[in-house]
């Protein structure tokens, strides 16, 4: 995550500034994460982008332990001794667990062997420095403070992620378009997608 953010910052420094960013799927989540990080760490500076378009986006992750849900066990890190910070939620809402194949097996998630020093479990001793903090409106007060566009399909398995990302954005700054497709940018909805983007850009 940190390296990805550094790359984005480098591109902006060398080739920017840019008025807008558009991301699809993981690219959208990364864009949201980078915007939030910049906003949190440098609140007195202009935002990374003036508007953001998120298409079929999963929830973004934080590079900091200070935000988000501690999602380590959903990525198979065993023997987690406690939350990444005091009071941090360690439960991802069930409706956001989109696909069992995306996660590790139940055996990999089993914390019952925490007393062992078995070298076959490399994450055990490194757990405090390896983390997956998923931003979520239910635990975070931070919101994206730029106009945003949210485009996703009714048949997309990441649809509920995209809908929760909407809730990380103020109502007066967000534009939402839901199409009939899946994890895609349907040509049949091109005009509606353009209208949504134009609405956000017009608010600048």
């Amino acid at each position: 995550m940190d390296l990805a953010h550094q790359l984005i910052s480098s591109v902006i420094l060398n080739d920017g500034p840019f008025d807008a960013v558009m991301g699809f799927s993981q690219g959208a989540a990364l864009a949201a994460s980078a915007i939030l990080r910049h906003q949190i760490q440098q609140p007195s500076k202009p935002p990374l982008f003036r508007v953001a378009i998120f298409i079929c986006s999963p929830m973004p992750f934080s590079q900091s332990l200070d935000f988000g849900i501690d999602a380590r066990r959903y990525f198979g890190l065993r023997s987690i001794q406690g939350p990444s910070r005091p009071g941090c939620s360690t439960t991802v809402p069930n409706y956001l667990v989109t696909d069992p194949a995306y996660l590790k097996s139940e055996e990999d998630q089993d914390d019952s062997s925490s007393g062992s020093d078995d070298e076959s479990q490399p994450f055990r001793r490194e757990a405090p420095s390896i983390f997956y903090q998923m931003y979520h409106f239910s635990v975070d007060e931070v919101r994206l403070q730029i106009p945003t566009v949210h485009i996703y399909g009714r048949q997309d398995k990441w649809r509920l992620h995209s809908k929760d990302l909407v809730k990380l954005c103020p109502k007066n700054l967000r534009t939402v378009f839901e199409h009939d497709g899946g994890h895609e940018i349907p040509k049949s909805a091109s005009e509606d997608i353009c209208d949504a983007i134009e609405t956000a850009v017009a608010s600048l």
Side-chain angles (χ1 to χ4, degrees):
M1 179 69 70
D2 194 53
L3 290 175
H5 288 172
Q6 289 180 35
L7 177 59
I8 292 173
S9 296
S10 176
V11 171
I12 293 173
L13 179 64
N14 294 325
D15 301 318
F18 301 101
D19 286 329
V21 61
M22 178 184 291
F24 176 83
S25 192
Q26 292 184 52
L30 177 60
S33 175
I35 293 168
L36 284 167
R37 178 178 185 173
H38 178 85
Q39 181 179 299
I40 291 166
Q41 293 184 342
Q42 304 184 67
S44 62
K45 291 189 176 181
L48 283 185
F49 307 98
R50 299 178 64 199
V51 64
I53 301 99
F54 304 125
I55 306 174
C56 301
S57 180
M59 291 301 292
F61 281 75
S62 171
Q63 89 298 337
S64 167
L65 293 174
D66 295 331
F67 300 90
I69 297 171
D70 180 353
R72 286 176 294 176
R73 70 185 181 90
Y74 294 87
F75 288 85
L77 274 68
R78 293 178 287 186
S79 304
I80 303 305
Q81 299 299 318
S84 55
R85 67 177 185 274
C88 178
S89 172
T90 59
T91 302
V92 172
N94 287 334
Y95 63 86
L96 294 181
V97 182
T98 61
D99 185 349
Y102 173 70
L103 306 176
K104 302 295 183 179
S105 68
E106 290 183 4
E107 179 181 355
D108 286 339
Q109 296 180 39
D110 183 8
D111 294 344
S112 62
S113 60
S114 60
S116 169
D117 287 326
D118 185 353
E119 289 294 332
S120 68
Q121 300 178 28
F123 292 120
R124 182 191 322 286
R125 287 172 293 178
E126 298 178 35
S129 62
I130 299 176
F131 56 89
Y132 296 88
Q133 297 292 129
M134 188 182 76
Y135 284 111
H136 197 260
F137 70 89
S138 66
V139 299
D140 295 310
E141 294 184 3
V142 64
R143 298 291 184 267
L144 282 85
Q145 296 299 323
I146 60 172
T148 57
V149 180
H150 305 262
I151 300 164
Y152 49 85
R154 293 186 180 90
Q155 307 305 315
D156 188 355
K157 69 178 183 179
W158 296 101
R159 171 175 173 266
L160 296 180
H161 275 248
S162 294
K163 292 186 71 173
D164 274 10
L165 176 57
V166 171
K167 295 177 183 178
L168 276 174
C169 306
K171 289 183 178 180
N172 64 318
L173 292 176
R174 69 196 191 204
T175 303
V176 179
F177 174 67
E178 184 178 73
H179 56 78
D180 293 327
H183 199 66
E184 60 181 320
I185 307 175
K187 292 182 180 179
S188 60
S190 295
E191 288 191 18
D192 292 317
I193 291 173
C194 287
D195 287 345
I197 295 172
E198 288 175 357
T199 296
V201 171
S203 68
L204 297 177

